[in-house]
Amino acid sequence: MGGLQCASFSFAPSSPSSLLRLAMSVAPAPAGLRLFFSYRVAADQELVGSFYHMCRGEGVDVWWDAKCLPPGKPWEEGFADGLFGCDVFVPFLSKAALASFASLSADSRCDNVLLEYRLALELKARGELHGIFPVFVGELEDLGTVGICFGDFF
């Protein structure tokens, strides 16, 4: 079972609202701020969908390919347009999402997630992206005297 951890707080994936409320209490989103959600579909689509709906419910503008990519538009163009129109890049990082990176070689097909990361870093370096705020998705584990927590991110 996966989970989310932010600093010393842990949250079950069924309650992304707790994490969102915590994040917004620490750094409220300025009006007009738009987030770009980056994730691996096969690994984290359900979790990212929960965050998307929670953010939208709180009035936060989010670009998520499942809702914002125009029908028929090539993915590469659509995600690039979406990222260029956003202020903050939010990559969801889980073991499953990052696992395919280990087998990449010079002959590998372009990895969509890696392409998003690379473009976000370039935009940040140019000052065209305000921030990159990763969400680490961990696994539930028993830490003995500490209790059951979400961890084991990598």
Side-chain angles (χ1 to χ4, degrees):
M1 179 172 178
L4 302 174
Q5 184 173 354
C6 178
S8 61
F9 302 96
S10 295
F11 303 92
S14 62
S15 61
S17 60
S18 300
L19 180 58
L20 181 62
R21 280 194 283 282
L22 174 64
M24 292 179 73
S25 70
V26 173
L33 187 71
R34 189 167 204 205
L35 310 179
F36 181 98
F37 282 177
S38 175
Y39 67 106
R40 185 153 323 267
V41 172
D44 300 315
Q45 185 168 16
E46 184 178 335
L47 176 68
V48 174
S50 295
F51 267 89
Y52 172 82
H53 293 293
M54 186 59 56
C55 287
R56 296 296 298 148
E58 295 288 330
V60 178
D61 192 12
V62 177
W63 194 95
W64 179 39
D65 64 344
K67 294 288 186 182
C68 301
L69 187 64
K73 186 163 195 169
W75 175 85
E76 292 85 356
E77 290 177 30
F79 104 84
D81 289 346
L83 188 49
F84 274 101
C86 287
D87 304 292
V88 177
F89 181 72
V90 182
F92 286 78
L93 307 173
S94 67
K95 281 184 180 181
L98 301 176
S100 64
F101 289 176
S103 63
L104 289 177
S105 70
D107 298 329
S108 296
R109 279 189 63 203
C110 180
D111 183 275
N112 296 349
V113 173
L114 189 57
L115 187 59
E116 290 176 357
Y117 295 175
R118 179 67 188 109
L119 181 56
L121 290 170
E122 180 67 29
L123 291 173
K124 179 71 174 124
R126 290 183 188 178
E128 297 177 33
L129 189 65
H130 297 292
I132 297 174
F133 296 97
V135 174
F136 292 95
V137 181
E139 296 177 1
L140 189 61
E141 61 182 280
D142 188 349
L143 298 178
T145 58
V146 176
I148 296 176
C149 300
F150 287 101
D152 191 20
F153 296 107
F154 305 102

